[in-house]
């Protein structure tokens, strides 16, 4: 009833997830051991919504590391669990033209998509905006490392 995630989320990952659930319909939790992020934001958010719709929990064990877009996937868990020694890393997104979040005006619709996603995953509007702002404090080529308590300040963990 557990699946392990090791690796990044790519264009083919949602199809791989559908195949996993088809072969193992009893999966109740994804153990995120090492998820460096995603090479495809659309696939990542599609996968995240599939995980949420399936009612699957996400879990990061001691020593587990979830970075970049992997954090969005973690937030999709029907329940989110992380041991004290779990690591999370966030940073600003970068588009195909090399533009980062700070390069767009505050009211630009590109920002609203992320904030709406965080609300969809259960954050209040204020927390979604604060989480999004916090993730963008680190440039794309750098990262801000967080622990489970930091994540729990925005969205409760089990």
């Amino acid at each position: 009833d557990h699946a392990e995630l090791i690796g990044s989320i790519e264009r083919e990952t949602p199809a791989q997830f559908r195949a996993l659930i088809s072969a193992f319909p009893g999966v109740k939790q994804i153990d995120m051991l090492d998820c460096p992020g995603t090479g495809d934001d659309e696939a990542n958010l599609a996968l995240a919504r599939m995980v949420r719709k399936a009612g699957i929990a996400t879990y990061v064990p001691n020593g587990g590391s979830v970075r970049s877009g992997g954090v969005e996937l973690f937030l999709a868990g029907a329940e989110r669990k992380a041991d004290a020694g779990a690591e999370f890393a966030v940073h600003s997104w970068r588009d195909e033209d090399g533009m980062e979040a700070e390069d767009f005006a505050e009211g630009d619709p590109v920002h609203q998509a992320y904030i709406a996603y965080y609300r969809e995953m259960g954050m209040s509007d204020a927390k979604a905006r604060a989480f999004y702002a916090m993730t963008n404090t680190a440039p794309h080529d750098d990262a801000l490392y967080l622990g489970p308590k930091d994540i729990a300040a925005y969205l409760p963990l089990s």
Side-chain angles (χ1 to χ4, degrees), residues 82-99:
D83 290 338
E87 170 186 85
F88 299 88
V90 297
H91 61 81
S92 175
W93 51 266
R94 180 184 294 152
D95 70 14
E96 59 277 352
D97 297 322
M99 305 285 278

Side-chain angles (χ1 to χ4, degrees), residues 3-91:
E4 293 182 346
L5 175 61
I6 301 171
S8 63
I9 298 118
E10 303 300 335
R11 183 175 359 145
E12 62 276 1
T13 309
Q16 292 168 337
F17 178 76
R18 280 191 291 279
L20 171 76
I21 295 304
S22 178
F24 302 97
V27 170
K28 294 184 179 10
Q29 179 172 294
I30 298 172
D31 298 342
M32 300 178 77
L33 306 181
D34 183 26
C35 183
T38 182
D40 186 323
D41 284 339
E42 288 181 30
N44 188 45
L45 295 180
L47 174 64
R49 289 179 171 109
M50 292 165 64
V51 167
R52 175 54 68 99
K53 184 176 180 182
I56 295 173
T58 52
Y59 167 66
V60 185
N62 280 319
S65 182
V66 176
R67 303 175 302 281
S68 189
V71 175
E72 273 81 23
L73 178 59
F74 173 76
L75 295 175
E79 285 185 76
R80 295 156 306 279
K81 302 178 257 184
D83 290 338
E87 170 186 85
F88 299 88
V90 297
H91 61 81

Side-chain angles (χ1 to χ4, degrees), residues 134-148:
M134 180 269 301
T135 65
N136 289 311
T137 62
H140 182 79
D141 290 331
D142 201 356
L144 174 63
Y145 284 84
L146 308 168

Side-chain angles (χ1 to χ4, degrees), residues 96-120:
E96 59 277 352
D97 297 322
M99 305 285 278
E100 295 190 28
E102 69 178 12
D103 296 319
F104 294 84
E106 185 177 325
D108 193 287
V110 71
H111 300 300
Q112 299 312 309
Y114 289 94
I115 293 166
Y117 172 78
Y118 298 138
R119 285 195 315 256
E120 185 181 339

